[in-house]
Amino acid sequence: MGTPLPNYSYAFTRVLVLFAVLVGAFNSHALAEDADAPLLVYVTVGVLDIDEINSAEQRFTANYFALFRWLDPALAHDGPETIRRNIGDIKAPRFLLLNQQRTWSSLLNVVDIKPSGEVVFRQRLWGDFSQPLRLHDFPFDTHTFELPMVSFGDLDQEVILMPDPERESIIADNLSVADWRILGYKAELRDIKLTNEVARQGFVFSFEAERIFTHYVVKYIIPLFLIVMMSWVVFWIDPTEAGSQLSVAVTATLTLIAYHIALAGKLPDISYLTRMDIFLFCSTLLVFAALVEVVVTSRLARSDRIDLARKYDFYSRMVFPVTYLAAAGWALL
């Protein structure tokens, strides 16, 4: 008999089984890596309007819109149309603005799912957002206002919020807020400090705004100048007319007190002094000093020291304006 032929069919089957095992192991490893890979969520933010920036209450009121999109292969379908589902019915991240206070939503919590598995979620909020402000330079201050956002939810993978490369975040050109000017804005991925020790990566839309101070100069600073200058009239009244001097000085003091009361609701209620507070304090101090000067010169006039009293008035005409201008420059410039 001849030599038996080798069993090629058996060998080929073993090779196929080994190949299938290797492919299965590779796919299992790839799936494990995919499960560990972060979920990239692309974010686009549009600030449609800013109704108010309240410095005293450390907040701003905004009309805000955001679009989120991410790819979830588990939600891919045959299509051909986009399907809509409630976001609570699928495994999806949730999004939270950390500084939102009282807000109202005008969109439903639904997502649009494309056949490819791309998920699109839209969010629109209107309401108040807190913003800590450093108001030392009030009313000549500039601030950065932020909408910091993080994701949360019971997901098996990390969620990273990224600025959408296909859609640019924007802020409207015409805003309702009248006493602020928008200087610029940006959207970025960065660490957000939750406490002094804890930070979390999130998405931040921020805009820089400058207070328009013309309103404060015309309505508050110039009238304050006039009240202080009114108190200087006493230096041009002869010390022998003590009644007239005292009348003007007391009137200027009472006017300034009334001005303080009227201005109280317009200034930020904070624990430190702003430029406006320092200017107001210097003005009050000089009006009071003018009243004291009147009392001193009146006593000198009654003591037959009229020449000395007139000399005090003469020097006060120069010292008080120079001092006030220096104080105003130090406080406001």
Side-chain angles (χ1 to χ4, degrees):
M1 292 190 305
T3 304
L5 294 174
N7 193 343
Y8 291 106
S9 175
Y10 176 72
F12 183 70
T13 301
R14 292 185 61 186
V15 170
L16 286 179
V17 170
L18 179 61
F19 180 75
V21 169
L22 291 175
V23 170
F26 177 79
N27 288 337
S28 298
H29 180 69
L31 289 174
E33 286 187 344
D34 289 341
D36 294 336
L39 175 65
L40 297 181
V41 178
Y42 296 105
V43 187
T44 303
V45 166
V47 175
L48 307 179
D49 198 7
I50 299 173
D51 298 320
E52 179 188 16
I53 296 177
N54 193 316
S55 301
E57 298 183 7
Q58 307 273 290
R59 65 171 176 82
F60 64 98
T61 304
N63 188 339
Y64 145 94
F65 172 81
L67 185 144
F68 308 86
R69 65 183 185 92
W70 65 94
L71 186 64
D72 188 349
L75 296 176
H77 56 89
D78 296 332
E81 301 295 332
T82 297
I83 62 174
R84 175 165 291 184
R85 296 177 62 181
N86 191 294
I87 194 171
D89 297 335
I90 65 172
K91 195 172 184 180
R94 306 293 191 270
F95 310 102
L96 175 67
L97 287 167
L98 294 177
N99 61 339
Q100 72 181 57
Q101 296 178 322
R102 294 179 301 170
T103 58
W104 293 265
S105 176
S106 59
L107 294 178
L108 299 175
N109 286 323
V110 296
V111 294
D112 293 330
I113 306 173
K114 298 181 180 180
S116 62
E118 183 181 72
V119 184
V120 177
F121 174 65
R122 298 172 181 86
Q123 183 183 64
R124 183 174 180 181
L125 298 174
W126 175 84
D128 297 333
F129 301 86
S130 63
Q131 180 63 57
L133 301 175
R134 304 296 295 171
L135 297 167
H136 294 87
D137 292 332
F138 175 88
F140 307 101
D141 46 341
T142 301
H143 301 282
T144 299
F145 299 85
E146 296 184 344
L147 291 168
M149 181 189 306
V150 297
S151 65
F152 66 98
D154 187 16
L155 294 178
D156 298 331
Q157 56 189 143
E158 180 187 5
V159 178
I160 298 179
L161 304 179
M162 304 263 309
D164 195 328
E166 298 181 5
R167 299 177 179 87
E168 184 179 358
S169 295
I170 61 168
I171 189 168
D173 292 331
N174 299 315
L175 302 174
S176 299
V177 62
D179 54 340
W180 291 82
R181 180 185 298 109
I182 304 301
L183 301 178
Y185 61 91
K186 63 180 178 179
E188 59 182 335
L189 169 70
R190 78 162 191 246
D191 289 336
I192 302 172
K193 290 191 67 174
L194 304 179
T195 66
N196 290 333
E197 295 80 19
V198 179
R200 183 171 178 180
Q201 194 176 67
F203 174 90
V204 179
F205 179 86
S206 60
F207 61 94
E208 188 177 19
E210 173 186 58
R211 194 188 305 271
I212 301 175
F213 56 81
T214 309
H215 164 77
Y216 294 92
V217 171
V218 173
K219 295 190 69 173
Y220 304 120
I221 295 178
I222 292 179
L224 190 56
F225 262 107
L226 296 178
I227 293 171
V228 176
M229 291 172 65
M230 181 177 68
S231 69
W232 300 341
V233 173
V234 298
F235 307 140
W236 299 87
I237 300 175
D238 194 86
T240 56
E241 301 180 24
S244 299
Q245 281 190 317
L246 284 172
S247 177
V248 172
V250 170
T251 300
T253 304
L254 294 177
T255 304
L256 189 60
I257 292 173
Y259 184 82
H260 267 276
I261 296 173
L263 198 59
K266 304 296 183 181
L267 299 180
D269 186 14
I270 50 180
S271 60
Y272 52 87
L273 296 179
T274 66
R275 287 191 183 189
M276 190 66 181
D277 293 324
I278 296 172
F279 178 59
L280 190 58
F281 175 75
C282 292
S283 301
T284 305
L285 198 61
L286 282 175
V287 170
F288 179 74
L291 178 60
V292 171
E293 198 271 352
V294 167
V295 173
V296 171
T297 55
S298 298
R299 288 183 62 87
L300 290 174
R302 287 199 300 269
S303 303
D304 295 328
R305 302 169 68 183
I306 188 66
D307 291 337
L308 182 59
R310 287 171 178 165
K311 185 177 293 186
Y312 281 170
D313 280 348
F314 175 77
Y315 286 118
S316 295
R317 295 171 194 170
M318 297 177 288
V319 171
F320 273 72
V322 170
T323 303
Y324 191 51
L325 289 176
W330 170 63
L332 300 178
L333 301 179

